[in-house]
Structure formats: C-alpha cells, structure tokens
Amino acid sequence: MNFSIEMIGVWFAVLLTLSIFSYLYGDNPFYKSAEHIFVGVSAGYIFAITFWDTIWPNLFGRLFPSYVQAGFKFDIIYIIPLLLGIFMLLRLSKKYSWLSRISIAYIVGMAAGLKFYVFLNSNLIIQIKSSMLDFNTDIIGIINQIIILIGVISGLVYFFFSKEHKGTIGKISKVGIYFLMIKFGASFGFAVMGRVSLLIGRFEELIKYSSKEYSYSTPIILISMVIILTIWSVKETKNDKLKQINKR
Amino acid sequence: MFNIKNIFIKLGQLDRRLIYLLVSLSVLIPLLNPNLLQLPTKTTKNTQIVFDSLNDLKENDKVLLSFEYGASTKPEIHPMSIAILNHLFSKGIKVYIVSLWPEGVMMAADAINEIVDSNLFKVEYGIDYINLGYKQGGPVVIRGIATNIGSVFTQDVHLTLLDEIPMMNNIKDVRDFDFVFDLSAGFPGNAEWVQYACDEYKIPLSSGCTSIMVTDAIPYVESGQLKGIIAGMPGAAEYENLVYDYLNNLEYNKFMNKNVDIKPGKATSRMSAQSITHLLMVLFIIFGNISYYLTRKKNN
Amino acid sequence: MKRQLAYFVVIFIGFLALAGHFINYPPLNNFIDNDATQWFDIISGFAAFLGVINLLQLHTNKLVYKRKNWEYSILTIVSFMLMIVFGFFYIGMEGIPRGAHLKVEGTAFYWMFDNIYLPLGSSMFALLAFFVASASYRAFKIRNFEATLLLISGVLLMIGRVPIGHIIPWWMSVEIYICIIFALTANKFSNRKNMISSFILCLVIIPLIIYFLNITHWNLFKIPEVQEWIFDVPATAGSRAIMIGIALGTIAQSFRIITGREKSILGD
Amino acid sequence: MILKRKLTKYVFLPTFIIGIYLYNPFDIFLIGNEMSFVFIILICFVIEYFIEKSKNGEEIYMRPIAAIKAMEEAVGRATEMGKPVLYIPGIASLDEIDTISGLIILGHVSSMTAEYESDLHVPVAVPIVMETAKETCKESYLKQGRPDLFREDMVHYITDDQFAYAAGVNGIMLREKPAAVFFQGKFYAESLILAETGNSIGAIQIAGTGSSSQIPFFVTACDYTLIGEEFYAASAYLSGSPEMLGSIKGQDYVKVFCIVMILVVFINSILFNFSLMNFNITDFFRINLIK
C-alpha cells in the first residue's frame, strides 16, 4: 500500500462519505463526528476565502495599492466601508454596539434599493412584455400561448389577499392553484432527476476508490464501519433498557 | 382477497431505511455493469436551441464561460462544460473563463486539463482560452463584468495582470463578448446573469444548470432572455451526443489534431442508472397511493 | 437618537440605490453599479469575524461545561483551527504568493479542501436522493385534486425525461392515462363493484378504439412529448405567475423598507 | 375638500413627476429605462394611497392564510410539550429580501415564545443575520416585558456553508427534538434535508420562502407553507398595523394593474398583427440603458 499523502486523502474522503451516509441508518457517532468536522472545516474555509478574496484585494488593495498590488488604484472613498466594517466589529463592546446598526442599515437599504430595480425590470416588465402573442407558430402554438396567458392571470388572482376568494374570483383562483400545482409537480420531478444524478456521481467515486490502485479503500472502510456500528447499536439498546429499568 | 389487501397496505408503509436500501441498489447495480441497459437519447427542443445558437458562432468570436458550480453538483454540470468546451474549441472560438463560486476555479481547471490531455485541439493558454479565476460577490461581479470588467478582474488566475495578456486588450465590458454561457447550480446563477447583465445590455445568453433550477429558468427561456437551456444530467447526455456526432462527421479542420479518437461523454453512461431509479421512484408513488387508498377505505 | 440615525441611513441609501439607476450623474451611476455592492461584501467580510468568534465561544462552552456530546466539539475546534493555520500561516509549498495559495493544488489548504470539505459537501447533497425518494413515497398522495395534479406532472416528467420514457409504447401510455383518470374519479362512483368493472372495460376497449382510428402516432401517446408540453405550457404559466408574484412581493417589501416602515429589523 | 386634497396628492403629483421626468430638463435623467421609472412611480403612489386610506381607519379585509394562523398554535404546542421551538431564517445574507422578511417574522414568533415562555433556538448561517436576529429577538422579549427570558445563546452561528449548516441543524433537530420548526427565508437545495429530518422527528413544520424551486419540497414535507408572495405578506399580516395591511391592499391593486397590462399587451399584439393598430406597445418595454 503506497503510503502517500494522496492515499491518506482518498481514505479520508471515503471514510467521511460513508459516515455521512451512515445518517440514513440513524444518528450515530460516525455521523456526529463527520457533522462536527464539516462545521469546523467549512467555517474555517469560508473565513479564509472571504478574507483573501474580498477584504484583502478589494479593500486593502484600494487603500494600500502599492503593498497589495491587486491592480486597483488608490481610492479614498473606501475608508467608508472600512469604518462600517469596524462599526460591525464594535458589536463586541457593550457601549458602542449601537454603531453596528448603521452598517446593518447600509446593507438593508442597499439591498432594498437594488432588488427593487432588478426585480422590477427582469421579473416584472419583461415578463409582462413576453405575454404578447407571436403569430409565427402553428395553430397549436397559439393555443398554447393562450393557455399560458390564462395560467398566468389565474395564478396571479390566487395571490389576491384583500379580496374574499368567493364567486368568480374563487373560481379563477382555483384554476390558478391548478397551474401552480402543475409547476410544483414539474419542479419536484426535475428535483428527483437532479438528486439521483448526484447520488450516481457519488457512488461512481466510491466505486472508483474501491479498485486495487486505491488499495480497496471503500470495501475495507465499509465493512469496518458496519461492524463498529452494529456493536455500538447493540450497546446502545442495552443501556437504553438499563435506563428504563432503573427509571421504573 | 383479504391478505392481498394487507400486503398492499404493508407495501405502503415500508420503513424509511428499506426505501434507502432500495434506492442505493437501484443506483449501484447499473453502475457496476453499465451495459445492462442501452437506451437511445432523444434531443429535447431546448438542448437543440443551445447547440444551434453556439453553432452559429464564427471563428475568433469571443465567448464568456462562467463556472458557478461545485463538486457537489459536478456529476450534472461537468459533462456539460466538457461538451461545450469541445464544441467551442472545434470552431476556433476564444473562450474567457470566469467563476463566481470558489470551487468553480477548480472545476474549470479540471475541465480544461481533461481537454488539453485529450489533445484533440491545438489550444494554448492566453491565446485560445483564459481563466480569470474566482471573485466573491455574486451579482456584484456580474454587474462589474457588465459595466466595466476592469473594476472586478485585474489579474488572471495565475496573477498576471490582464493588461499584459493580448487576448484581453479590447475587452472592456460584457458588450465585447459575442455570447455568454453560464454553467450554474444555484446562487449566483442564470437568473442573476439575466437580471444583472444580459437583459440590460442585450447580449445573447444561454445556460446549462442543475435540473432543480430548470423550472425557475423556464419563463426566461420562453421569453427569449435565455437562448434554450441544458437541463440536468439528461440534458448533458443529449448535448454530449450532439457534440459527439458533430465532431465525428466534421472533416478535421485546422483547430483539431489528426488521428485522435473522440471519446463519448460520461453523462450518457450514467443514464441507465438514472432511468432505473426514476422507475423505482414511480413505483414508490404508486404503492404509496394504493395503500393510502386502501387504508382510507378500511377506516371509514 | 441612535435609532433615528439608523433609519435615516436606510432611507437615504435605499433611495440613493433606486435613484442611482435614473439620475444622469456618472459618479453616482458608477457608485451604484460597482462600488455600492462591493462595500456590502467588505462589511459582511468583517462580520464573518463575529460569526467565527460566536462559533468558537459556543463550542468552548460546550467543552468547558461538559454539556451533552461535548467530545465532538473538540473535532469542530481542531478542524477549524487547522483550516485557519493552513489558510493564513502554513502554505506547504514554496513560491506561491500568500492569498493565491488557497486554490493551488499541492498546498495544505487545498488538500483539506479536496479531501475533506468536498467529499462531505457532495455526500450531504447526495443524501437528497434518498430524501427525495422517501418524500415522494410519503407525500405524493391523491388527497385532493391539486395534490393529484402535482403527482401527475411529477410522474410524467420523471418518466418522460429519461431514455426509458422513449421506449414506452402508445398503448401503455393510454393505460397510464386511464389509471390516472380512475384514480381521480374513484370516490365519485356509488359502489365499488361497477367502478372496478368500468375500469377494466375502459382498459380493454379504449386502446382498441384508438387502434381502429389509427391515431396511434399522435404525440398525446408519447410520454416524452406530453412531458415536454406540460413543461412548456402549464409549468411555464405557473412559473411566470409565481415569478411575477414574488417580484411584486419583493417590490412591496422593499418599498416598506425604503419608506422606513419596516421597524423590527433595526430593533425598534 | 378631502377629495380635492386626495386628488392632488395621488393624481396630480405623480403625473407631474412623470411629466418632469419625460421632459428631462437639463438632461438630468438617463434615457432608456422610462418604463421602469413610470412603473416605480405608479407602484409607490398606489401603495402610499392605500396605506393612507387604511391609516384613517378604513377597515381592510384580509383573506385568512392558514400558515400564519398555525404559527401561534405551533408555539403553544411546543410549550405544552416542554420542547424547544426551532426557527431557521434561511441561509442567505441580508442582501436578500427573503432573509429580511424571515427576520421580521422571527420578531413576531419570538414575541410569541416570550409570551408562552417556551424555549426558542435560532441557528443561523450568516454572521450578519445572527447580529440582526439577536437584535430582533431582544426587542421582542423586551416588548413582551420578559427581558429575563432572553438568553444570548438563543441565536448562534453554525457555519456559512450550505450543507455543513444543514448537517449542523440536522444534529440539533435529532438531539433536541423541537416540537415546532419554522423555515422562513431564502433556501436552496438543503431545504429537503431539513424538512425531511423535521418530519422524521414529528415536529409541526411551518415553511415560507420566496425561492420558488424549493416550494414543492416544503409543500410535500411541511404541514403549512407560505407560497411566494404569501411569505412577503406574512410580515404585514402578523404586524396587523394599518400601515402594513394598507400596503398589502395596495400591492393587490398593483397586481390588478399588472394583469390589465398583460391583457393590453396581449390584445395589442393581436391587433398589431392584423394591422388594426399601427404601433406596438412592447417597444416601450425597453429596459436597456443607452449609455
């Protein structure tokens, strides 16, 4: 078994994959450790990526261009995000924690302004524009577009809040919910398709790692995990019974 | 008659773990021997639109390829990126790679290495393709590329300044690209490219995405904001076959190396496992409903 | 006074972000297009520091007070510290500038990423295939007409989208349609006897009628074509209705924020 | 007299602003996105009109939404069973409107948990959302007069990564077995992992999201779901203040306006095709800036 860093990596990958899959059996020590390792590794990973890809090039790259050489020119206005960032850190001090509200206010205000404009354009105006009937399709194409029109309008009527859903509005919104349900069914069907593909990809990797070249890592780890898990669950059920006995 | 009904009711209340075991078997068995089930793949309308719009591009056109997927969605998207890169390189198109997901850079590197190792095409870094690496910020970066690419990307993935790379000198913003193709698996994805860049500046955009995102992107496809869409792994298998046939009956042009055989893509081989598992899911739904109907009959 | 300042900032920035798209003043347009949202990332970058402190605090408390499952907190702290060391101090390869080393194969950070972070992420994602199976098994019930629509479009899409869907012959799709129609109308029949008899009658007669009218080549009987129609027409209408609905919801919510009416966010 | 004042405020003022914008004195406005400007002015004034109408006391009818009524009942059930309430505000940061709506609903849910004295637990995936959530919960407990019940570690950060967060929350659900689980915010692929685990521990699950690709999972796996726009309206429903309800009514009328516009575009395209009308309205629907 060639003992290289890369081989340890493969064994680690297979061990962690199988401990995540052990969750299907139920909550067990393998899953708990994989979960906690995942939380620690991902928190560290995101923190490092955030610093090296955002703060270092975009902020310090503009405040100290000569030192950072991220290709940006000096830009005095970037003092403000630096201040807002420090305000954010002041949350740790009881006295000045109210300053962090200004940074939050900036983000919330900016998000509201930008999303207002972007959603209005691409998700409202263009969608209204595309409800026009184009005639260079055959008769079935035109019927389809009429069905789409009915579906969109009845779907919107379903979302009426200030009107009682009775009488004609009730009937239209009933039709609307039918269209929405067909859309949800289609999304669910697609989701099944997507998830199965990912499982196939994962199993393919496990099969790849069970070859001689990777010194049969998957079968060895799989068998040892199954043995340990059976011992653990037998011990677990035993001391559950003990707890019940001394509780009575 | 009575015990048949009981069997059906029991079939409707299988333990969760038994379902999980059945699903793993239905995936494992076809993967272990792929030629268990050979099935023809028929190209759907949207995949064909994507192929045609990329095929209309001419030599030396500039295409921006954006990688926004990671290892967890690699099985669905990676076959697409390889098929698309094969298609673009076979037409001598200049490919500009950006990634808005941290893992996107590695996926792009994997895809490029796989194509370079197959030495099907004579492509060179800095001449035929360039990788601008990863920038955090999602819509911020897309907005930056749309309005002025210099405000977001100043170096390529090897940290050489863009001004020193000839390929980049007449690229100022998204309008200098002839086509934008987005490989997306979540946020930021094809919706953000539509909203923040291509709608406003009228740049042709198409996308290959995970199956779950397809129903959200359909209104954009229907209104023409997205030129067709490649939907999940089945879409990837269809596109792979289109490119495979295209490359085969294309007499070797100056971009391709002679006597190199063209290998079929990965997605096609996984389709049998996909089909069997789908059938299993449908059976679950049918049995679940039969037992639901019988138990409801029994109660009232 | 402190709260008024926060409200003023929300209203001012919100209005600025909106007006920046209309007023013809290049420095403002440039600010809105590029810098405004970059600032957002920088501030959230600083806040990441707070998140990490909170995480460490939580797990060290769990460790110190030996709360339930405290042994696992050691794993979280150790793996977090390892990533910080590999991310900022120890690179593991010469000649790679600090900062770019995160994504260069061969560095310690990349080894952790490739062999620990990636397998965990993709395995969690792959778990979804199992959960989708159990969800479809448990939740896809013909409770009412809407749930049946959800089920039919889901099933037809699942079969139609994979190669197996192309092999299904026309008569089998007719049988499937008959089963669906009877599943819908099952409770409308007075007694079970004639429901089952008419069900079997249809199963036999209808395919024969279709065969004699020789309309067997119709798209209606090819599941992939039916799936494509469901996907192109009703599902598109549903998606567009939801998209417009969500756009209106977002616009109304943004309006309430920009006019300072959403109070609870800034702790009023 | 009031009619005259209302007329000036809600008819003349908007038309006056649009007039100035189109006249574009000294070229102070950008050209190209006039349609967006007209839409924005129209939407703002319609919503403002209904807010003012409902502020001076006009009764607003709001159709009942099952999920919102079920929230109080879910918190009540959790208190009876002495089990915690788990609130998940989505995995997106504050730049998503879904997260802001989720935090507003958290404000109302935390005032319920303060009132019922049940144990609240809010795991978050983004540090800024953690800070804002702490702020919102502290305020709600203060307003209910129970600042003593508020514990600093009610709201805690797990990790930014989508699936590590799902794994962490799974662990919390399995070990703490909450009786009520709220999913209110922006969700992606991990929504089904959380909803299925919540279902397997038998908790009441109330979901609300604007991510339309995840709604099918919540519809199938949760007890109640706020679909798309209902999720954004929930914060106004729960606050019950006349201003908020007025804005929902205004939103409805904007929806009527959109439906009318869709029909106008549809009919215009038919007439234009048969050349009964000479101009095509969709030319106005341009959103690309001519810079």
Side-chain angles (χ1 to χ4, degrees):
Chain A
M1 191 176 92
N2 49 22
F3 197 78
S4 69
I5 288 282
E6 200 255 327
M7 187 49 67
I8 304 169
V10 164
W11 278 65
F12 246 106
V14 171
L15 175 67
L16 292 172
T17 304
L18 292 176
S19 15
I20 290 283
F21 282 151
S22 71
Y23 171 77
L24 295 173
Y25 170 72
D27 195 9
N28 63 69
F30 282 107
Y31 175 72
K32 278 188 204 152
S33 24
E35 174 206 314
H36 280 79
I37 292 175
F38 195 11
V39 166
V41 164
S42 65
Y45 169 74
I46 301 278
F47 186 71
I49 287 275
T50 313
F51 180 77
W52 285 117
D53 281 336
T54 319
I55 297 182
W56 184 253
N58 293 351
L59 180 65
F60 296 121
R62 285 192 167 96
L63 292 178
F64 317 100
S66 55
Y67 178 67
V68 171
Q69 282 117 12
F72 293 120
K73 293 183 296 307
F74 181 75
D75 191 346
I76 186 69
I77 201 165
Y78 270 75
I79 294 288
I80 301 174
L82 182 66
L83 278 176
L84 288 174
I86 292 163
F87 284 174
M88 206 63 212
L89 294 182
L90 287 176
R91 266 204 80 75
L92 296 172
S93 83
K94 281 288 162 284
K95 221 158 84 57
Y96 295 106
S97 76
W98 65 274
L99 277 173
S100 69
R101 264 200 219 118
I102 297 168
S103 320
I104 295 174
Y106 169 80
I107 291 172
V108 169
M110 177 55 61
L114 271 185
K115 293 287 173 184
F116 194 121
Y117 182 72
V118 162
F119 270 83
L120 179 75
N121 278 347
S122 292
N123 287 15
L124 200 63
I125 293 179
I126 293 296
Q127 294 306 327
I128 292 177
K129 174 180 176 184
S130 59
S131 62
M132 69 176 181
L133 194 62
D134 70 19
F135 282 84
N136 40 38
T137 59
D138 54 12
I139 185 68
I140 296 176
I142 290 170
I143 296 168
N144 283 347
Q145 285 175 62
I146 292 169
I147 298 172
I148 289 179
L149 182 80
I150 296 163
V152 170
I153 290 177
S154 52
L156 282 175
V157 166
Y158 167 76
F159 284 115
F160 268 175
F161 299 111
S162 55
K163 283 253 182 350
E164 192 98 25
H165 278 204
K166 279 209 197 62
T168 51
I169 292 186
K171 286 196 192 58
I172 300 172
S173 88
K174 204 91 177 104
V175 170
I177 194 72
Y178 294 160
F179 276 94
L180 296 182
M181 281 300 161
I182 292 177
K183 187 259 176 196
F184 292 154
S187 308
F188 199 91
F190 265 108
V192 169
M193 204 168 78
R195 304 307 183 236
V196 167
S197 319
L198 301 179
L199 183 63
I200 292 169
R202 207 67 218 127
F203 271 23
E204 214 169 52
E205 210 170 279
L206 285 179
I207 292 169
K208 189 180 99 186
Y209 286 149
S210 52
S211 63
K212 172 121 186 44
E213 187 205 343
Y214 296 97
S215 54
Y216 311 109
S217 56
T218 316
I220 294 172
I221 296 178
L222 185 64
I223 295 155
S224 41
M225 264 178 81
V226 167
I227 297 162
I228 298 166
L229 266 184
T230 30
I231 300 162
W232 171 76
S233 64
V234 162
K235 200 157 57 58
E236 198 69 14
T237 37
K238 209 181 285 140
N239 58 35
D240 278 355
K241 284 204 191 64
L242 274 172
K243 262 192 232 131
Q244 254 124 33
I245 293 160
N246 49 37
K247 209 184 289 168
R248 243 177 263 123
Chain B
M1 180 53 185
F2 190 72
N3 47 32
I4 298 168
K5 217 184 273 180
N6 268 356
I7 294 165
F8 268 115
I9 289 172
K10 289 262 172 334
L11 266 177
Q13 277 120 13
L14 292 175
D15 175 62
R16 235 175 249 273
R17 291 179 205 142
L18 192 58
I19 298 171
Y20 299 150
L21 187 65
L22 286 173
V23 171
S24 358
L25 289 179
S26 82
V27 169
L28 217 54
I29 296 163
L31 279 181
L32 290 177
N33 43 33
N35 39 39
L36 181 77
L37 196 70
Q38 284 309 47
L39 303 160
T41 46
K42 190 176 83 53
T43 317
T44 51
K45 178 165 63 79
N46 285 327
T47 317
Q48 191 61 50
I49 296 171
V50 174
F51 184 82
D52 298 340
S53 27
L54 283 179
N55 224 7
D56 302 343
L57 295 172
K58 297 172 298 309
E59 193 187 332
N60 288 338
D61 275 354
K62 292 190 268 294
V63 168
L64 179 65
L65 193 56
S66 166
F67 281 75
E68 288 134 34
Y69 66 95
S72 44
T73 45
K74 189 174 178 185
E76 274 193 287
I77 312 279
H78 209 57
M80 287 184 206
S81 35
I82 291 169
I84 292 226
L85 282 168
N86 280 334
H87 191 188
L88 294 177
F89 285 143
S90 73
K91 296 172 70 66
I93 292 169
K94 303 293 177 213
V95 177
Y96 296 74
I97 292 174
V98 286
S99 61
L100 306 179
W101 279 35
E103 299 157 60
V105 187
M106 295 139 204
M107 296 302 132
D110 280 2
I112 293 286
N113 295 346
E114 194 169 326
I115 288 173
V116 167
D117 299 348
S118 76
N119 68 49
L120 196 55
F121 306 102
K122 299 193 271 287
V123 280
E124 233 190 287
Y125 185 78
I127 311 290
D128 301 297
Y129 67 94
I130 179 171
N131 186 344
L132 299 180
Y134 162 69
K135 267 283 178 286
Q136 196 185 19
V140 169
V141 181
I142 299 176
R143 192 81 198 154
I145 295 173
T147 49
N148 143 27
I149 206 161
S151 76
V152 199
F153 286 98
T154 50
Q155 303 156 311
D156 76 349
V157 78
H158 309 299
L159 300 184
T160 45
L161 286 176
L162 294 189
D163 328 336
E164 292 148 13
I165 301 173
M167 225 176 141
M168 286 300 293
N169 41 33
N170 44 28
I171 302 277
K172 192 192 155 308
D173 56 34
V174 79
R175 275 172 290 201
D176 301 328
F177 290 113
D178 302 293
F179 202 93
V180 174
F181 196 89
D182 162 49
L183 295 151
S184 58
F187 172 85
N190 41 34
E192 282 65 37
W193 275 97
V194 167
Q195 289 166 5
Y196 287 89
C198 299
D199 243 2
E200 255 184 276
Y201 299 97
K202 278 266 181 284
I203 308 299
L205 164 73
S206 186
S207 164
C209 64
T210 52
S211 330
I212 180 75
M213 293 172 63
V214 174
T215 36
D216 284 348
I218 274 305
Y220 291 137
V221 174
E222 206 259 344
S223 63
Q225 292 163 284
L226 276 175
K227 303 274 181 291
I229 196 161
I230 305 180
M233 189 190 278
E238 286 159 27
Y239 200 85
E240 261 175 14
N241 289 337
L242 285 176
V243 171
Y244 184 72
D245 303 340
Y246 169 77
L247 290 179
N248 271 338
N249 49 41
L250 174 82
E251 27 64 47
Y252 282 104
N253 59 31
K254 54 186 168 42
F255 305 109
M256 298 177 73
N257 293 342
K258 301 279 178 305
N259 58 48
V260 174
D261 62 347
I262 302 152
K263 291 191 295 305
K266 281 231 192 60
T268 345
S269 60
R270 296 178 185 149
M271 286 320 285
S272 47
Q274 183 98 30
S275 305
I276 293 171
T277 317
H278 277 216
L279 274 189
L280 186 72
M281 300 276 185
V282 172
L283 286 178
F284 280 154
I285 293 172
I286 292 170
F287 285 129
N289 273 296
I290 293 171
S291 97
Y292 173 74
Y293 176 71
L294 290 174
T295 35
R296 213 168 46 151
K297 211 94 179 97
K298 212 167 69 178
N299 302 355
N300 49 24
Chain C
M1 205 294 287
K2 294 176 193 160
R3 276 203 195 110
Q4 270 52 40
L5 186 61
Y7 279 113
F8 173 71
V9 168
V10 169
I11 294 168
F12 175 68
I13 293 286
F15 187 72
L16 197 74
L18 202 51
H21 295 284
F22 296 103
I23 294 171
N24 182 5
Y25 177 56
L28 177 66
N29 302 118
N30 185 324
F31 170 72
I32 293 294
D33 278 349
N34 306 326
D35 299 331
T37 31
Q38 291 232 351
W39 290 12
F40 161 71
D41 277 302
I42 293 165
I43 299 170
S44 52
F46 276 89
F49 191 72
L50 297 176
V52 156
I53 291 170
N54 182 279
L55 179 79
L56 289 177
Q57 231 170 9
L58 180 91
H59 284 279
T60 28
N61 289 356
K62 232 168 121 183
L63 211 58
V64 164
Y65 299 113
K66 295 273 188 302
R67 289 207 204 98
K68 200 163 171 299
N69 292 325
W70 59 271
E71 316 84 350
Y72 298 100
S73 291
I74 305 172
L75 288 174
T76 305
I77 294 171
V78 163
S79 46
F80 173 74
M81 284 306 166
L82 221 58
M83 286 304 267
I84 293 300
V85 165
F86 290 157
F88 291 91
F89 310 108
Y90 172 74
I91 292 182
M93 254 175 88
E94 285 68 32
I96 309 281
R98 196 184 297 279
H101 74 289
L102 300 184
K103 293 182 268 303
V104 170
E105 207 148 345
T107 59
F109 189 87
Y110 187 82
W111 186 89
M112 290 286 283
F113 172 79
D114 204 28
N115 295 308
I116 296 184
Y117 180 74
L118 285 191
L120 283 169
S122 28
S123 308
M124 278 302 289
F125 212 132
L127 271 188
L128 275 168
F130 297 109
F131 289 144
V132 157
S134 67
S136 61
Y137 177 73
R138 181 178 35 71
F140 260 179
K141 293 291 186 311
I142 302 182
R143 281 184 290 274
N144 47 39
F145 186 64
E146 286 96 8
T148 322
L149 282 179
L150 194 140
L151 183 142
I152 293 166
S153 73
V155 163
L156 285 183
L157 205 106
M158 270 195 264
I159 302 174
R161 228 51 219 164
V162 258
I164 268 193
H166 306 302
I167 310 169
I168 294 181
W170 64 272
W171 50 269
M172 193 189 275
S173 21
V174 170
E175 307 289 341
I176 292 173
Y177 296 148
I178 295 166
C179 297
I180 290 171
I181 291 162
F182 269 84
L184 274 170
T185 55
N187 41 35
K188 296 251 180 345
F189 283 82
S190 51
N191 60 46
R192 258 161 29 77
K193 266 291 165 292
N194 61 33
M195 192 269 278
I196 290 172
S197 51
S198 53
F199 178 55
I200 292 158
L201 206 67
C202 293
L203 282 184
V204 170
I205 301 296
I206 294 180
L208 290 176
I209 299 167
I210 291 169
Y211 181 72
F212 286 124
L213 296 171
N214 73 33
I215 43 167
T216 57
H217 58 278
W218 269 9
N219 280 345
L220 178 63
F221 305 122
K222 297 198 189 73
I223 300 245
E225 303 302 330
V226 170
Q227 167 270 140
E228 193 126 0
W229 181 82
I230 289 178
F231 178 59
D232 282 346
V233 179
T236 305
S239 304
R240 185 165 292 159
I242 285 197
M243 186 182 271
I244 294 177
I246 289 171
L248 282 175
T250 313
I251 287 168
Q253 185 78 316
S254 309
F255 176 76
R256 287 196 292 264
I257 292 168
I258 292 175
T259 51
R261 288 200 172 87
E262 279 303 355
K263 299 258 184 322
S264 62
I265 272 291
L266 296 170
D268 164 56
Chain D
M1 221 316 267
I2 305 146
L3 184 68
K4 209 165 79 57
R5 197 176 56 74
K6 252 193 195 162
L7 213 60
T8 48
K9 190 171 177 199
Y10 290 108
V11 175
F12 295 131
L13 190 58
T15 33
F16 178 68
I17 294 172
I18 294 175
I20 289 185
Y21 173 79
L22 293 178
Y23 174 68
N24 198 349
F26 317 111
D27 194 15
I28 55 166
F29 289 113
L30 289 171
I31 317 134
N33 50 7
E34 296 83 2
M35 199 50 171
S36 317
F37 187 84
V38 167
F39 258 75
I40 288 174
I41 295 295
L42 211 110
I43 291 173
C44 294
F45 275 90
V46 165
I47 293 182
E48 200 57 42
Y49 171 74
F50 281 98
I51 286 178
E52 200 187 313
K53 229 171 109 180
S54 88
K55 247 202 286 201
N56 8 348
E58 200 221 298
E59 198 25 52
I60 304 264
Y61 168 79
M62 280 289 157
R63 77 169 160 95
I65 297 183
I68 295 173
K69 277 207 301 301
M71 286 187 184
E72 187 106 19
E73 176 208 318
V75 173
R77 179 170 179 261
T79 331
E80 276 154 37
M81 298 165 73
K83 292 233 189 94
V85 171
L86 188 68
Y87 191 97
I88 298 169
I91 62 166
S93 176
L94 267 186
D95 67 338
E96 284 289 338
I97 301 292
D98 297 38
T99 318
I100 297 171
S101 303
L103 289 173
I104 295 165
I105 296 171
L106 170 63
H108 298 293
V109 169
S110 50
S111 51
M112 289 178 204
T113 50
E115 192 190 331
Y116 284 84
E117 288 160 18
S118 48
D119 176 13
L120 176 66
H121 192 164
V122 185
V124 283
V126 179
I128 289 190
V129 174
M130 172 183 75
E131 297 308 329
T132 324
K134 257 187 201 152
E135 199 69 38
T136 319
C137 287
K138 204 182 284 178
E139 280 306 316
S140 307
Y141 274 79
L142 214 65
K143 230 182 275 172
Q144 289 290 336
R146 299 306 307 270
D148 53 318
L149 276 178
F150 176 76
R151 293 191 328 283
E152 202 58 38
D153 63 2
M154 263 184 189
V155 180
H156 68 92
Y157 167 74
I158 294 186
T159 174
D160 262 76
D161 179 79
Q162 170 187 14
F163 286 105
Y165 176 74
V169 172
N170 267 2
I172 294 171
M173 280 195 203
L174 290 170
R175 287 151 218 155
E176 283 181 19
K177 292 227 179 338
V181 179
F182 290 83
F183 301 103
Q184 306 286 342
K186 185 92 179 167
F187 289 91
Y188 296 98
E190 80 297 336
S191 62
L192 185 61
I193 296 182
L194 300 172
E196 269 296 294
T197 316
N199 187 286
S200 69
I201 58 167
I204 285 192
Q205 297 194 111
I206 299 172
T209 180
S211 358
S212 63
S213 57
Q214 304 309 321
I215 293 173
F217 300 121
F218 285 135
V219 165
T220 44
C222 296
D223 304 287
Y224 299 94
T225 312
L226 292 165
I227 299 172
E229 209 178 334
E230 290 170 350
F231 168 61
Y232 299 101
S235 55
Y237 262 69
L238 285 165
S239 75
S241 76
E243 270 180 358
M244 298 298 227
L245 295 179
S247 77
I248 297 289
K249 196 165 175 67
Q251 198 181 320
D252 269 0
Y253 277 86
V254 170
K255 213 172 294 157
V256 168
F257 171 70
C258 289
I259 292 175
V260 164
M261 283 304 286
I262 288 174
L263 288 174
V264 160
V265 164
F266 186 74
I267 294 156
N268 170 276
S269 60
I270 297 172
L271 299 178
F272 182 69
N273 186 326
F274 297 114
S275 65
L276 295 165
M277 262 173 99
N278 42 34
F279 75 91
N280 186 342
I281 198 166
T282 46
D283 305 341
F284 292 108
F285 280 70
R286 270 186 300 83
I287 56 163
N288 12 61
L289 295 173
I290 306 148
K291 267 220 181 73

